[in-house]
Amino acid sequence: MANKVAIVLLVCIGLVMLVAISELPLYGSPDTPAQNEVAERYVHGTLGDTGALNMVAAIVIDYRAYDTLIETTVLFTAVIAVFMVLKKGSTGKGEQG
Amino acid sequence: MRDFVLKRMVALVLPFVTMLGLYVIFHGHLSPGGSFSGGIITGLSIIAFNLVFGTERGEEKISERLMALIESFGALWYGAMGLVGILRGASFLMNKGAGVPVGQPGSLYSGGLILLITLGVGLKVASTMVTLFLELMEEED
Amino acid sequence: MSPNIADLLNVIFLTFLVVVAIAVSYVKDLIYAAILLGAYSVAIALIWLLMSAPDLAITEAAAGIGMTTLMIAVISKIGRKVE
């Protein structure tokens, strides 16, 4: 019984997703909402603003530098979390708790 | 697992993989790629060395202490590069607006701080991956 | 609208993607599941390349194929094995 309910629910969700996808603009079509003045600004101004040929690197490290700064902190936090869970303490203090 | 053919093949291929990773890091502002992908490729080459030749010889090549140092100072290096903007009288993490010399576009030194930041973040990502992997390998045995 | 080679490749890769994603849930050994996830990443990387996003393709190739497969393989050796 629960199996059939799950299948019906999954089919419904899939239909909704397909309807939503059919509303999306085509890949690479010029009148997508993402093709606004922000993209124009980046495409035409990157070379003059940063001097880097790779536009993605210029956006990630220059225009959106704060984002990448916090992203490196996320990696640091991941390593600290793994150390806290897995590293065997050498001082012996951590083993009592 | 550690047989002769595998060791010879890895010894032949690994220098090129490491060079590819460093190339992707250093040319992050010129060609596709960047700090994260280049760092992961470099880290993968070190991990492959550790897997095939054993962690003892990997420890001889690049010690775990050096890894921890790079890992810790990577994010700090990024912050220090951001302070360059403040020292020159502009806002934090500013590149050309702060008057950092931006070289000829297309040459290896161009893009101002982007090359330096990519170098720091790439080495940090590589050391992060290697540290995570070695930690999990230690847990296994 | 005539079908060109890029559309054909797109359909092939997307079909491969669905097949692999279903196959991952059917294999018993976790190592095989990790390798199938690597195959999934290959298809995604090729799709990024077709969509002219080489940045994402390189990152997907390095992180998805290499690092994720390795990490899942090591973690699955630590954890229990599905009987």
Side-chain angles (χ1 to χ4, degrees), chain A residues 10-50:
Chain A
L10 276 179
V11 169
C12 287
I13 293 172
L15 280 180
V16 169
M17 279 184 154
L18 284 178
V19 169
I21 286 173
S22 68
E23 296 284 320
L24 286 178
L26 276 178
Y27 167 69
S29 74
D31 54 343
T32 56
Q35 289 279 358
N36 51 13
E37 66 274 5
V38 180
E40 286 285 304
R41 170 79 176 76
Y42 283 148
V43 168
H44 292 298
T46 303
L47 196 57
D49 282 348
T50 65

Side-chain angles (χ1 to χ4, degrees), chain B residues 7-132:
Chain B
K7 276 186 179 175
R8 284 308 112 204
M9 276 312 292
V10 166
L12 274 178
V13 169
L14 265 196
F16 297 101
V17 178
T18 316
M19 276 307 291
L20 174 70
L22 290 176
Y23 171 82
V24 172
I25 289 178
F26 273 99
H27 289 241
H29 56 300
L30 296 177
S31 61
S35 51
F36 281 90
S37 34
I40 288 176
I41 295 172
T42 315
L44 272 179
S45 68
I46 302 173
I47 286 176
F49 186 87
N50 274 315
L51 265 181
V52 174
F53 290 94
T55 44
E56 294 83 19
R57 285 199 58 193
E59 171 83 22
E60 282 172 23
K61 295 280 180 193
I62 299 174
S63 69
E64 214 165 316
R65 183 171 165 72
L66 181 63
M67 280 289 161
L69 275 180
I70 296 175
E71 161 66 35
S72 310
F73 281 97
L76 209 61
W77 170 259
Y78 200 143
M81 285 300 114
L83 285 182
V84 170
I86 288 187
L87 287 182
R88 303 187 70 121
S91 60
F92 187 61
L93 281 172
M94 203 150 200
N95 189 4
K96 197 187 179 185
V100 177
V102 178
Q104 179 76 26
S107 63
L108 187 58
Y109 182 74
S110 65
L113 291 180
I114 291 179
L115 177 59
L116 295 172
I117 291 177
T118 310
L119 181 60
V121 177
L123 290 181
K124 180 191 155 50
V125 170
S127 65
T128 301
M129 293 303 158
V130 177
T131 315
L132 279 177

Side-chain angles (χ1 to χ4, degrees), chain C residues 4-77:
Chain C
N4 53 9
I5 190 78
D7 283 342
L8 189 68
L9 282 175
N10 240 330
V11 169
I12 292 173
F13 289 145
L14 286 173
T15 318
F16 181 72
L17 211 66
V18 172
V19 170
V20 172
I22 293 173
V24 166
S25 62
Y26 274 102
V27 292
K28 290 280 183 267
D29 201 333
L30 288 177
I31 295 288
Y32 296 155
I35 293 170
L36 278 177
L37 269 182
Y40 179 90
S41 295
V42 173
I44 290 192
L46 289 172
I47 288 174
W48 290 138
L49 206 57
L50 278 180
M51 289 184 151
S52 57
D55 274 276
L56 279 176
I58 289 179
T59 309
E60 181 69 42
I65 300 170
M67 200 49 90
T68 312
T69 311
L70 257 178
M71 286 287 175
I72 292 177
V74 172
I75 289 172
S76 69
K77 278 189 112 178

